[in-house]
C-alpha cells in the first residue's frame, strides 16, 4: 500500500514539473518589443515610435501634434 502513495507523489511531482516547464516557456517567449510594427522617426526630435502612433504629414512623420506644427 506504500507503493501506491509513492506513485501518486511521483505523478504529482511529474505534473508539477510539466506545469512549471510550460509556465517558464510561455513567459520566456513573451516578446519584449512589438513585432511586425513599422518604426518611424519624428523629423523634429528624432524619437522612434510605432507607425500607427505617429502623426503623418507627407512626407514626414512626427511624434506629436506639437512637433508636426513645429516641423
Ligand atoms: Zn518629436
Amino acid at each position: 500500500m506504500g507503493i501506491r502513495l509513492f506513485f501518486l507523489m511521483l505523478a504529482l511531482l511529474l505534473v508539477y514539473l510539466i506545469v512549471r516547464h510550460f509556465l517558464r516557456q510561455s513567459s520566456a517567449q513573451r516578446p519584449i518589443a512589438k513585432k511586425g510594427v513599422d518604426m518611424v522617426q519624428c523629423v523634429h526630435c528624432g524619437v522612434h515610435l510605432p507607425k500607427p502612433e505617429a502623426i503623418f504629414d507627407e512626407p514626414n512623420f512626427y511624434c506629436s501634434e506639437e512637433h508636426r506644427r513645429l516641423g
Side-chain angles (χ1 to χ4, degrees):
M1 74 190 241
I3 200 105
R4 274 195 182 182
L5 195 70
F6 172 76
F7 276 112
L8 183 72
M9 284 173 77
L10 202 71
L12 286 172
L13 184 72
L14 202 68
V15 168
Y16 167 74
L17 288 172
I18 290 165
V19 167
R20 199 181 65 167
H21 173 78
F22 278 106
L23 286 175
R24 270 196 195 169
Q25 206 171 42
S26 65
S27 66
Q29 281 177 343
R30 194 180 299 152
I32 297 157
K34 284 183 204 167
K35 277 185 177 177
V37 176
D38 288 339
M39 296 298 281
V40 293
Q41 191 174 16
C42 173
V43 293
H44 183 78
C45 65
V47 79
H48 287 87
L49 68 159
K51 201 172 179 179
E53 291 172 29
I55 291 160
F56 181 59
D57 189 10
E58 226 171 325
N60 300 317
F61 287 99
Y62 301 92
C63 67
S64 61
E65 189 62 37
E66 194 187 346
H67 284 180
R68 190 184 68 82
R69 272 192 289 111
L70 294 166

